[in-house]
């Protein structure tokens, strides 16, 4: 059926006009098919916005819907509303887009500062920085007086209990606590300038 014979009459609704174009398109009329697809964009955009699709993703929904219409155009029943048919397809594509973007947004990190401040675990510069910090800490512990250094090594680095450290060092637990406290204070002052 040629497109001219599908011309809109004054009493025809937009839905009836699109239905007639789709029926003609199913019969092989290319111009009618182009018209119905072009005329459907407004319906698809409205459906996507009603579903809550973000403005910058509406065009994606339009494209996916038009592709779906093309794949399933043979399923359209000319005796039914074209607008309802294409809106149902658009609603499904909008929901698909919302799900897809929701999954992606939960996985993706959008904070550039966080990316810069937290390099990958496999990042060589992070490993080098970690090694350098460990070496600075080791050097700082080496400058502590012997009693404080011993308290840090036993209680902090080797993670021994007070009673175990007291037994190994021959010092009482009170002295170990005082030495650890003084050592930590000295290290904080050295690295952070905190009194």
């Amino acid at each position: 059926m040629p497109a001219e014979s599908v011309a809109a009459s004054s009493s025809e609704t937009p839905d009836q006009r699109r239905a007639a174009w789709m029926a003609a398109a199913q019969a092989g009329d290319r111009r009618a098919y182009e018209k119905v697809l072009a005329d459907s964009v407004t319906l698809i955009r409205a459906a996507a916005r009603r579903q809550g699709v973000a403005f910058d993703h509406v065009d994606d929904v339009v494209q996916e819907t038009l592709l779906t219409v093309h794949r399933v155009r043979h399923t359209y029943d000319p005796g039914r509303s074209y607008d309802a048919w294409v809106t149902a397809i658009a609603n499904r594509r909008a929901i698909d887009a919302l799900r897809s973007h929701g999954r992606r947004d939960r996985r993706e990190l959008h904070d550039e500062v966080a990316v810069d401040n937290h390099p990958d675990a496999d990042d060589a510069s992070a490993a080098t920085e970690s090694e350098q910090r460990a070496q600075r800490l080791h050097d700082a512990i080496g400058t502590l007086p012997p009693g404080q250094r011993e308290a840090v090594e036993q209680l902090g680095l080797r993670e021994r209990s007070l009673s175990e450290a007291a037994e190994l060092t021959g010092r009482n637990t009170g002295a170990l606590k005082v030495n650890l406290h003084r050592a930590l204070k000295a290290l904080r002052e050295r690295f952070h300038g905190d009194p």
Side-chain angles (χ1 to χ4, degrees):
M1 180 186 308
E4 291 78 27
S5 64
V6 186
S9 69
S10 59
S11 63
E12 194 174 49
T13 67
D15 183 31
Q16 291 169 333
R17 183 180 69 241
R18 286 187 282 267
W21 284 339
M22 188 59 167
Q26 286 176 319
D29 187 337
R30 180 184 173 99
R31 288 184 52 200
Y33 189 51
E34 290 171 0
K35 285 181 182 182
V36 75
L37 290 180
D39 210 43
S40 298
V41 171
T42 305
L43 290 171
I44 297 167
R45 285 181 177 280
R49 284 194 299 267
R50 277 193 307 271
Q51 289 292 334
V53 173
F55 179 76
D56 55 336
H57 297 294
V58 169
D59 286 339
D60 296 338
V61 173
V62 170
Q63 183 178 4
E64 288 299 318
T65 303
L66 291 176
L67 288 170
T68 303
V69 165
H70 180 72
R71 278 192 307 269
V72 300
R73 66 187 180 278
H74 64 279
T75 66
Y76 172 67
D77 177 2
R80 298 192 169 229
S81 167
Y82 173 82
D83 291 3
W85 181 76
V86 80
T87 299
I89 295 171
N91 286 336
R92 287 188 213 114
R93 294 300 78 85
I95 290 168
D96 291 346
L98 290 169
R99 286 180 182 149
S100 173
H101 291 294
R103 283 191 299 269
R104 192 173 313 127
D105 290 346
R106 282 192 302 271
R107 287 191 315 256
E108 290 182 358
L109 182 64
H110 299 287
D111 187 357
E112 292 177 17
V113 174
V115 172
D116 292 341
N117 290 335
H118 299 284
D120 293 337
D122 297 334
D123 188 358
S125 64
T128 303
E129 288 177 25
S130 179
E131 289 171 12
Q132 289 173 348
R133 281 194 305 269
Q135 186 59 48
R136 283 195 306 268
L137 180 59
H138 179 73
D139 294 344
I141 291 170
T143 64
L144 293 171
Q148 292 178 13
R149 183 173 54 244
E150 188 175 53
V152 169
E153 288 173 353
Q154 295 298 320
L155 298 171
L157 299 177
R158 295 195 176 111
E159 297 181 353
R160 294 196 168 112
S161 69
L162 270 171
S163 59
E164 289 174 326
E167 190 176 314
L168 285 169
T169 62
R171 297 178 181 267
N172 70 34
T173 56
L176 284 170
K177 282 177 160 179
V178 169
N179 282 329
L180 180 63
H181 174 73
R182 289 179 180 165
L184 293 177
K185 183 178 179 185
L187 291 172
R188 270 194 302 273
E189 287 175 4
R190 180 171 179 157
F191 289 107
H192 302 293
D194 295 341

